[in-house]
Amino acid sequence: MRLLILTGRPDCLGENDVPIGNAFRRFGWEVIFGEITAIGSEDYRYFTRGVLVSPSGEPHQLGSAAQGTTGVYFIDECQLVLLNGGAPSSISRDVWQMLWLASQHTRFVNSIEGTLFLETKHALGLVVPKEHRAVAYASNEFSLLWERYRQSPDLCWVAKPPNAYCGQNVFLLPPNGPNVRAILQCLTGNADAQSKFGGLTERESLVKRHQFQYGLDGFNAQYALLEHFISEVRQGEKRVIVACGQAVAWHGRKASLDDHRSNIAQGGKPIPVELHSDEVVLAESVGRKLMDYGVNFVGLDMAYPYIIDLNLTSPGGLYDAKLASGVDQSDQVAKLMMSHFQKP
């Protein structure tokens, strides 16, 4: 049996590559660490460049190079494919298209269509019950988000891009914050700020008439999400790994004193935490809902009773959960995946 893990750097394995790769090898599987940027086709048969690792040998460590046979490997020669990262924007459309075509013949842990359309903060409204998600507004128009903010002057808000990762460009907006206008302009592409007519009152009719030109450089608007700040976040977020509908590992994240974000990539620290029964029920219900769309492995960011984010292409957390608790749950994840995909 052969698992293909599509990743960015087979010569420098990441926190999502190592636990799953080692676990499948312990169960006797061969593992190929394939380059997500090297997807190609030969007579419409899809392949990637990668390193084939046998079940025997030393386990990999974070940052180590995959030890095995380097070559070109066809995706349809694998029994299962796990996507552990996305392709650069310059080639992402081609990569997603070819992976979807490959997935018509080979099983992927997370379906391409499910991953492509659900790994976004827009998707919370589809898979998370209303009472477990923050009120949010999405738009690429600064004026709409600015007006929403001003309608509730006593509220604290969070503004962020819907499709960014690792806490990038996540801003905390306090009531009557002096920089809120600039932040919302920035997140929506500074479209109104670049208007060739400026913002003077006597030019408002011209600005409205030409608002969809978005300045001298053409359309440059970007989407931003404005959501109510969840006070529960101050008590700490938890990352919960759900495999095939079961919560299998979790850890807390402690933010640094000089940042409101607890993302590990932004300096947050994994800490041991308990997951109470209500949190397990919520995580597993969201996990089962995602399975309806072919998504079987997810990292949920939770500040109960709220789900904050879905992580599908890089559902990290197994490595940090082991750091925090000393318990490695990667074998349990591998067993759940193998059992699920060995069903007829």
Side-chain angles (χ1 to χ4, degrees):
M1 302 292 281
R2 182 175 285 182
L3 168 70
L4 170 60
I5 297 179
L6 289 171
T7 186
R9 294 280 304 275
D11 62 340
C12 184
L13 298 177
E15 63 178 275
N16 301 323
D17 308 318
V18 169
I20 299 297
N22 287 341
F24 270 82
R25 290 173 61 208
R26 284 192 288 268
F27 286 105
W29 283 52
E30 294 181 324
V31 175
I32 297 172
F33 291 99
E35 296 180 44
I36 189 67
T37 56
I39 303 296
S41 68
E42 180 179 308
D43 195 21
Y44 301 100
R45 188 180 175 207
Y46 302 94
F47 63 80
T48 189
R49 183 173 58 246
V51 181
L52 173 63
V53 183
S54 70
S56 60
E58 292 297 316
H60 290 112
Q61 304 298 323
L62 181 66
S64 64
Q67 299 297 316
T69 305
T70 300
V72 172
Y73 298 96
F74 286 96
I75 294 177
D76 61 14
E77 293 178 337
C78 302
Q79 281 67 54
L80 194 58
V81 180
L82 175 64
L83 189 63
N84 261 354
S89 58
S90 60
I91 61 170
S92 63
R93 185 170 182 174
D94 292 275
V95 168
W96 282 116
Q97 290 168 343
M98 287 189 283
L99 288 179
W100 182 83
L101 291 164
S103 73
Q104 304 310 297
H105 305 285
T106 304
R107 289 180 166 181
F108 279 57
V109 173
N110 287 342
S111 71
I112 296 303
E113 56 270 39
T115 302
L116 183 59
F117 290 109
L118 296 179
E119 186 164 58
T120 168
K121 295 167 182 64
H122 297 306
L124 292 177
L126 178 67
V127 298
V128 178
K130 185 174 182 178
E131 64 271 22
H132 293 296
R133 61 179 192 261
V135 174
Y137 305 92
S139 178
N140 60 17
E141 294 186 33
F142 157 77
S143 59
L144 188 150
L145 298 180
W146 176 236
E147 185 59 28
R148 292 293 186 188
Y149 172 82
R150 293 199 300 173
Q151 285 174 354
S152 303
D154 298 327
L155 290 183
C156 190
W157 298 79
V158 172
K160 53 192 173 184
N163 286 291
Y165 305 94
C166 301
Q168 296 179 70
N169 298 322
V170 176
F171 295 91
L172 185 63
L173 309 182
N176 299 311
N179 289 317
V180 171
R181 182 185 178 93
I183 289 170
L184 292 178
Q185 283 180 320
C186 176
L187 289 175
T188 51
N190 280 311
D192 70 307
Q194 295 177 19
S195 168
K196 60 185 177 183
F197 299 114
L200 297 178
T201 302
E202 60 268 24
R203 298 177 184 173
E204 285 184 356
S205 62
L206 287 173
V207 172
K208 290 179 180 178
R209 191 186 315 164
H210 296 274
Q211 62 180 316
F212 296 110
Q213 292 183 4
Y214 290 92
L216 296 174
D217 298 325
F219 191 90
N220 51 38
Q222 300 171 8
Y223 275 95
L225 195 73
L226 180 68
E227 68 180 23
H228 290 174
F229 174 72
I230 301 168
S231 60
E232 286 79 1
V233 169
R234 293 194 177 99
Q235 307 304 315
E237 293 182 40
K238 296 178 182 179
R239 168 64 61 89
V240 185
I241 295 295
V242 182
C244 303
Q246 293 189 33
V248 294
W250 47 86
H251 64 83
R253 302 193 311 204
K254 183 179 180 180
S256 58
L257 296 177
D258 58 356
D259 203 326
H260 68 278
R261 300 166 297 178
S262 64
N263 305 75
I264 303 299
Q266 302 297 338
K269 303 297 183 184
I271 58 174
V273 292
E274 296 295 328
L275 206 65
H276 62 69
S277 59
D278 290 340
E279 291 173 317
V280 172
V281 169
L282 174 58
E284 293 187 344
S285 67
V286 174
R288 288 191 297 271
K289 181 67 174 178
L290 286 167
M291 291 178 73
D292 293 340
Y293 302 95
V295 174
N296 300 288
F297 187 43
V298 60
L300 300 176
D301 290 337
M302 176 189 297
Y304 192 82
Y306 298 103
I307 297 292
I308 298 171
D309 208 353
L310 312 173
N311 300 273
L312 309 185
T313 55
S314 299
L318 281 175
Y319 185 85
D320 291 322
K322 181 182 176 182
L323 286 180
S325 68
V327 179
D328 185 357
Q329 294 287 4
S330 55
D331 280 5
Q332 176 67 6
V333 171
K335 285 194 290 186
L336 287 167
M337 289 180 181
M338 289 185 288
S339 175
H340 178 77
F341 286 100
Q342 286 171 355
K343 295 176 183 177

